[in-house]
Amino acid sequence: MAKILVIDDSSLTRTMTGHILKGLGHEPIFAVNGEEGIKLAAEEKPECIILDLLLPGMSGKEILTALQEKKIDIPVAIVTANTQDIVKEECLKLGAVCVVYKPVKKEELEKVINKLLKV
Amino acid sequence: MIKLTDQQLDGLTEIINIGIGSAASSLNEIIKAEIELKVPVIKIVELENIANEDMGFVDEDLSCVKISFSGNCNGVANIIFSNESAANLVNTISAKQFKNVTMDDIKAQTLEEVGNIIIGGVLGSVGNMLTKRFDVALPVYMEGSIGFILNGNDCERGGTVVLIKTTFKVKNLSIEGLIILVFMVDSFKTILSGIDNLYNSCKDAQR
């Protein structure tokens, strides 16, 4: 079982993602914005992070940068509705391990988590 | 008047976000430029007052593609561009796909197709997530002021509607579009029940 931080402003996505993660035997913890997410990442030290891209305040890309600047070395998967290739490339350049698209399905999220936990 | 719970409002915003993201990806395939997305704004308004809503355009001639939809939910989708944005978008697409054809000949057709792609992406995504069916009518191109365009949303005379608006911007190409979805309230209840069902299927809801 892994502690997994989900940073997403949408209660629907937090609910659905949390439901899947619990079903997979993991322990999800939640943040609704970047500031809270970075704080939880530092304090709770989750094994990996599921990060939304379009957030109020700090964007997902800014959060990726902030995590690196603060030397919080936790593998991150971006989960976004924005399926443009250029956005994916930018996220990977900023240090994300992978990018998956909403709405995320159980099988897909399971693969992503397994990939993150191997990093 | 219909009232959305915080949970329904949040769920609807996210589902529309996902739909817009999917639609933007399709548009991105055509114009090969990154599209920036904004978080949608959702309001309940009287149809007769819709033209008074602040849409960010004042006294401008605008280009609009209007697509009616029916099925599990009835309404009208509008994609609105300033004339400058419309011209830039048509030029960008025509430069790639319609060589040696004058812009006037293809403007309406091109924008109608863009409308089809975006609205099809949004409604398709919403329908898939909520397992609801939308039957989409042929797109109609029109030009005029924002009031003229929005007063044409008379899918039913009068009544309350759910207004969803969001903007997208094409990086480096001076193209900005406004997407307005107008759902008739009576049939909108089926959308809300779909959102409630999504939450209920994940019983251990988080905050």
Side-chain angles (χ1 to χ4, degrees):
Chain A
M1 184 178 84
K3 186 187 283 185
I4 298 169
L5 172 60
V6 179
I7 307 175
D8 201 305
D9 61 318
S10 163
S11 75
L12 179 65
T13 294
R14 290 198 307 275
T15 300
M16 293 172 71
T17 308
H19 180 70
I20 295 173
L21 290 175
K22 283 182 183 174
L24 293 171
H26 298 301
E27 181 198 346
I29 56 174
F30 300 93
V32 299
N33 57 45
E35 290 78 8
E36 192 182 358
I38 291 167
K39 189 167 174 278
L40 272 180
E43 290 174 0
E44 296 284 331
K45 299 186 173 38
E47 273 109 308
C48 58
I49 299 174
I50 304 290
L51 173 62
D52 185 22
L53 210 50
L54 188 61
L55 289 164
M58 289 178 86
S59 71
K61 290 180 200 169
E62 288 169 335
I63 295 170
L64 280 172
T65 305
L67 288 170
Q68 286 190 347
E69 284 172 357
K70 291 176 186 295
K71 307 211 182 304
I72 300 173
D73 191 19
I74 300 171
V76 178
I78 296 290
V79 178
T80 178
N82 193 335
T83 58
Q84 298 175 76
D85 288 342
I86 190 163
V87 174
K88 180 179 180 178
E89 287 163 18
E90 284 172 0
C91 292
L92 295 177
K93 273 185 197 162
L94 288 171
V97 174
C98 55
V99 177
V100 287
Y101 302 120
K102 294 182 179 181
V104 178
K105 295 180 176 63
K106 184 180 176 182
E107 297 74 22
E108 200 172 11
L109 192 57
E110 188 173 16
K111 280 183 197 166
V112 167
I113 298 300
N114 289 339
K115 190 171 181 180
L116 292 175
L117 294 178
K118 281 180 189 163
V119 173
Chain B
M1 177 176 275
I2 190 170
K3 199 167 184 304
L4 276 66
T5 63
D6 288 347
Q7 184 173 275
Q8 288 169 333
L9 186 61
D10 180 281
L12 181 61
T13 305
E14 181 70 346
I15 289 165
I16 296 291
N17 250 337
I18 292 171
I20 300 284
S22 162
S25 176
S26 301
L27 186 58
N28 167 263
E29 283 291 310
I30 300 173
I31 60 179
K32 307 293 181 200
E34 185 180 353
I35 297 158
E36 291 180 338
L37 307 172
K38 294 271 173 66
V39 175
V41 174
I42 298 172
K43 288 178 81 173
I44 313 290
V45 297
E46 293 301 317
L47 193 56
E48 62 195 28
N49 296 329
I50 199 168
N52 301 327
E53 289 291 317
D54 179 13
M55 299 294 177
F57 293 110
V58 182
D59 296 331
E60 278 185 69
D61 279 335
L62 304 169
S63 300
C64 171
V65 179
K66 195 177 283 288
I67 300 178
S68 298
F69 54 88
S70 56
N72 286 132
C73 192
N74 301 325
V76 182
N78 305 267
I79 300 184
I80 302 171
F81 300 97
S82 69
N83 277 347
E84 185 191 353
S85 278
N88 288 339
L89 181 58
V90 173
N91 275 331
T92 303
I93 294 174
S94 62
K96 293 182 190 304
Q97 298 188 4
F98 295 103
K99 285 176 183 164
N100 306 319
V101 182
T102 62
M103 198 178 94
D104 282 348
D105 291 338
I106 61 164
K107 183 178 180 183
Q109 286 178 35
T110 305
L111 292 178
E112 282 174 2
E113 189 53 25
V114 167
N116 245 339
I117 290 165
I118 293 176
I119 295 306
V122 174
L123 292 180
S125 183
V126 173
N128 286 342
M129 276 195 80
L130 298 178
T131 57
K132 303 295 177 196
R133 180 193 170 106
F134 293 102
D135 296 312
V136 180
L138 286 172
V140 177
Y141 176 74
M142 62 193 294
E143 294 179 353
S145 67
I146 191 76
F148 175 75
I149 288 168
L150 293 179
N151 278 328
N153 284 326
D154 52 352
C155 34
E156 286 173 19
R157 294 282 173 194
T160 310
V161 296
V162 179
L163 175 72
I164 302 174
K165 58 177 177 174
T166 190
T167 56
F168 63 91
K169 196 173 180 179
V170 185
K171 265 190 177 175
N172 309 322
L173 290 177
S174 297
I175 298 169
E176 199 165 350
L178 170 67
I179 300 172
I180 300 174
L181 301 173
V182 180
F183 290 90
M184 300 313 296
V185 155
D186 284 349
S187 57
F188 193 71
K189 287 169 187 162
T190 190
I191 299 288
L192 296 183
S193 71
I195 294 169
D196 290 339
N197 289 342
L198 263 184
Y199 275 102
N200 290 337
S201 67
C202 309
K203 288 263 167 68
D204 48 352
Q206 312 304 320
R207 61 186 167 130

